[in-house]
């Protein structure tokens, strides 16, 4: 780990995790083995990052988010408080042969508070997911989706402003 990272004393970070320069890991966070977190990220309070997860540079993962194995987050992604990722298409407690279904969050995407991302999808570049939405299918780049299930509402620019369709 780089010298200018900050890891709160209450955080549990595996010796096998790679944490980039300038990244801050806050209170009660757990980061598992074989995880890669880029430079200048903010990993907020009560976050869980599972084994093998990859998070790019300049990401903000807000309070109480769990990022499970199979999720890849590219650069400049915002993950709002209490966002839920899944990684099992057919979850059963008694299935000992379950498999991970990967999810990809592309560069610049923003996920609003309390949104849920069902595994096996791609969230396009600079898309936005409205707070409380349930994302069940791929999201186009520069698209704002909302609802349960989340549907396209409008197109947005890189800064998140609505553009004419």
């Amino acid at each position: 780990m780089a010298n200018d990272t900050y890891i709160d004393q209450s955080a549990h970070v595996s010796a096998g995790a790679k944490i980039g320069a300038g990244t801050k890991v806050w209170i009660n966070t757990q980061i598992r083995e074989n995880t890669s977190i880029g430079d200048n990220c903010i990993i907020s309070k009560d976050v869980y990052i599972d084994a093998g997860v990859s998070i790019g540079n300049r990401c903000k993962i807000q309070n109480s988010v769990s990022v499970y194995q199979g999720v890849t987050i590219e650069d400049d992604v915002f993950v709002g408080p209490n966002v839920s990722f899944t990684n099992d298409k057919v979850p059963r407690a008694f299935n000992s042969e379950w498999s991970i279904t990967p999810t990809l969050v592309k560069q610049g995407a923003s996920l609003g508070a309390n949104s849920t991302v069902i595994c096996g999808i791609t969230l396009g570049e600079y898309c936005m997911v409205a707070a409380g939405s349930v994302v069940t299918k791929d999201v186009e780049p520069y698209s704002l989706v909302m609802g349960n299930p989340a549907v396209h509402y409008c197109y947005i620019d890189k800064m998140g402003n609505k553009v004419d369709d």
Side-chain angles (χ1 to χ4, degrees):
M1 287 182 274
N3 295 358
D4 58 349
T5 60
Y6 170 78
I7 299 176
D8 188 84
Q9 64 183 359
S10 67
H12 297 273
V13 178
S14 168
K18 180 183 171 204
I19 311 290
T23 290
K24 293 174 176 50
V25 177
W26 293 100
I27 300 165
N28 297 328
T29 292
Q30 182 181 4
I31 299 174
R32 301 270 313 271
E33 62 278 1
N34 302 318
T35 297
S36 175
I37 299 174
D39 297 340
N40 300 307
C41 292
I42 297 171
I43 310 298
S44 298
K45 176 179 172 287
D46 299 322
V47 169
Y48 172 76
I49 301 175
D50 203 359
V53 166
S54 176
I55 297 174
N57 298 311
R58 299 171 305 280
C59 292
K60 293 181 180 178
I61 312 296
Q62 297 295 294
N63 294 356
S64 302
V65 172
S66 292
V67 184
Y68 294 110
Q69 191 172 8
V71 176
T72 299
I73 297 174
E74 293 185 349
D75 295 343
D76 302 311
V77 169
F78 176 87
V79 181
N82 300 298
V83 166
S84 294
F85 288 97
T86 66
N87 68 355
D88 187 351
K89 278 278 195 193
V90 187
R92 301 298 243 175
F94 53 84
N95 182 2
S96 61
E97 297 181 20
W98 72 279
S99 63
I100 290 170
T101 303
T103 297
L104 176 59
V105 183
K106 304 279 278 182
Q107 179 171 348
S110 292
L111 286 69
N114 296 305
S115 58
T116 299
V117 179
I118 303 303
C119 58
I121 64 172
T122 298
L123 299 172
E125 293 88 347
Y126 300 99
C127 73
M128 292 185 96
V129 175
S133 297
V134 179
V135 184
T136 61
K137 61 184 180 180
D138 290 351
V139 176
E140 290 181 80
Y142 297 93
S143 176
L144 168 61
V145 298
M146 60 178 61
N148 181 3
V151 295
H152 173 81
Y153 176 74
C154 68
Y155 288 103
I156 56 174
D157 63 19
K158 185 175 179 179
M159 299 306 293
N161 302 301
K162 184 177 179 180
V163 296
D164 293 332
D165 293 334

